[in-house]
Amino acid sequence: MSKVLVVAEHLDGKLNASTAKCVSAAQALSPESIDIVVLAADAAGVAAEAGKISGVARVLAVSNPANERAIAQVLAPQVGKLAEGYSHVFGPSTTFGKDLMPCVAALLGVPQVSDLMAVEGSHEFKRPIYAGNAIVTVKATADHVVVATVRTASWPEAAQGGSAAVEAVTVGAALPTHTRFVGLAAGKSDRPDLQSAKRVVSGGRGVGSKENFEIIYKLADRLGAAVGASRAAVDAGYVPNELQVGQTGKIIAPELYVAVGISGAIQHLTGIKDAGTIVAINKDADAPIFEVADIGLVGDLFNVLPELESAL
């Protein structure tokens, strides 16, 4: 029988929704048990939150000052040590998981299954390739632990209501000294996190400038939405690259995605194909974005958005 260990993603003492999505993927295996590991300077609070996810048997709380920052080279040896006795180790296919899980796989001497989007069997999975234009079935070696990143856009959050036991665990893994945290430069925002937001408003090259992007922020605030952008908008310097949505940015699956001034290049569409409802606003009636949009409006965004914001 399968035993799954899910590596929790958290920030500022709050559990990321990607963890519950990893639990959903783990449940598709019909495993004997699902455990979550929380690595933090003080893991108690996040561990208690993780214990409320339905279907989780145990939460392993690893408190260590070295875990204050999510540095892959520091966390990976601990996850690798804890992986003993588990058949699968899952992490989210987010920036956090893409950084950490390859290190875990390398330490365990196994290949990683990336962007797991469907479970076909205990060691057989589906994942996207060619920017999501094709789906391939991959088989992992049955006699080795499976290390995988879960495509969070393909899985719902596992239900709440669980009451898993939280166990404080000490891991005797040698941690590296050659990698250390120096500093973090990040934009401050009260808006929802882009990768877990239910609503997202994105702007593209059609917005025209960094100053004009304020119109996107205003609409997003009105909707209580996160803000995203196309690669063209990021490359033009309108917004920082952490807002980029697409193949080389973030893959998201909000309930509502509003694309403003975005033509709809395949690179961008890869990042939003799992969205619930896609709304496109563009003055070019032939823009490719309209081929995938559920609702499309042909018009000048500088006329449409103020009217829309006023109506909201």
Side-chain angles (χ1 to χ4, degrees), residues 189-278:
S189 175
D190 294 328
R191 298 184 184 93
D193 174 65
L194 178 57
Q195 285 192 296
S196 58
K198 304 297 184 185
R199 295 178 292 278
V200 175
V201 178
S202 281
R205 191 198 305 273
V207 177
S209 70
K210 182 177 181 179
E211 291 72 27
N212 288 348
F213 221 84
E214 192 63 34
I215 198 170
I216 303 296
Y217 290 124
K218 287 181 179 179
L219 179 60
D221 290 342
R222 182 70 71 181
L223 290 170
V227 172
S230 68
R231 177 170 180 170
V234 171
D235 287 348
Y238 300 169
V239 292
N241 62 6
E242 61 259 29
L243 299 187
Q244 184 177 325
V245 174
Q247 183 182 0
T248 54
K250 292 180 169 64
I251 308 296
I252 59 175
E255 295 172 2
L256 171 66
Y257 185 78
V258 183
V260 182
I262 295 175
S263 63
I266 186 62
Q267 189 273 345
H268 186 78
L269 299 183
T270 297
I272 63 169
K273 61 175 54 182
D274 293 307
T277 299
I278 299 175

Side-chain angles (χ1 to χ4, degrees), residues 100-125:
L100 171 62
M101 300 308 288
C103 296
V104 174
L107 288 172
L108 294 176
V110 298
Q112 176 182 288
V113 178
S114 301
D115 286 330
L116 187 157
M117 64 184 301
V119 172
E120 299 291 299
S122 63
H123 289 75
E124 190 170 323
F125 314 97

Side-chain angles (χ1 to χ4, degrees), residues 110-164:
V110 298
Q112 176 182 288
V113 178
S114 301
D115 286 330
L116 187 157
M117 64 184 301
V119 172
E120 299 291 299
S122 63
H123 289 75
E124 190 170 323
F125 314 97
K126 288 188 181 295
R127 65 176 299 267
I129 58 173
Y130 301 129
N133 288 304
I135 307 300
V136 65
T137 300
V138 296
K139 291 185 178 180
T141 306
D143 57 352
H144 289 86
V145 61
V146 176
V147 176
T149 57
V150 173
R151 181 181 167 93
T152 53
S154 300
W155 299 90
E157 293 179 35
Q160 296 291 305
S163 55

Side-chain angles (χ1 to χ4, degrees), residues 5-8 37 39 71-84 86 88-92 96-113 145-149:
L5 179 65
V6 172
V7 183
V37 58
L39 299 110
I71 301 173
Q73 288 72 22
V74 174
L75 302 186
Q78 300 173 73
V79 176
K81 196 78 172 177
L82 290 167
E84 296 174 6
Y86 290 94
H88 298 71
V89 181
F90 284 177
F96 165 80
K98 288 177 180 178
D99 188 35
L100 171 62
M101 300 308 288
C103 296
V104 174
L107 288 172
L108 294 176
V110 298
Q112 176 182 288
V113 178
V145 61
V146 176
V147 176
T149 57

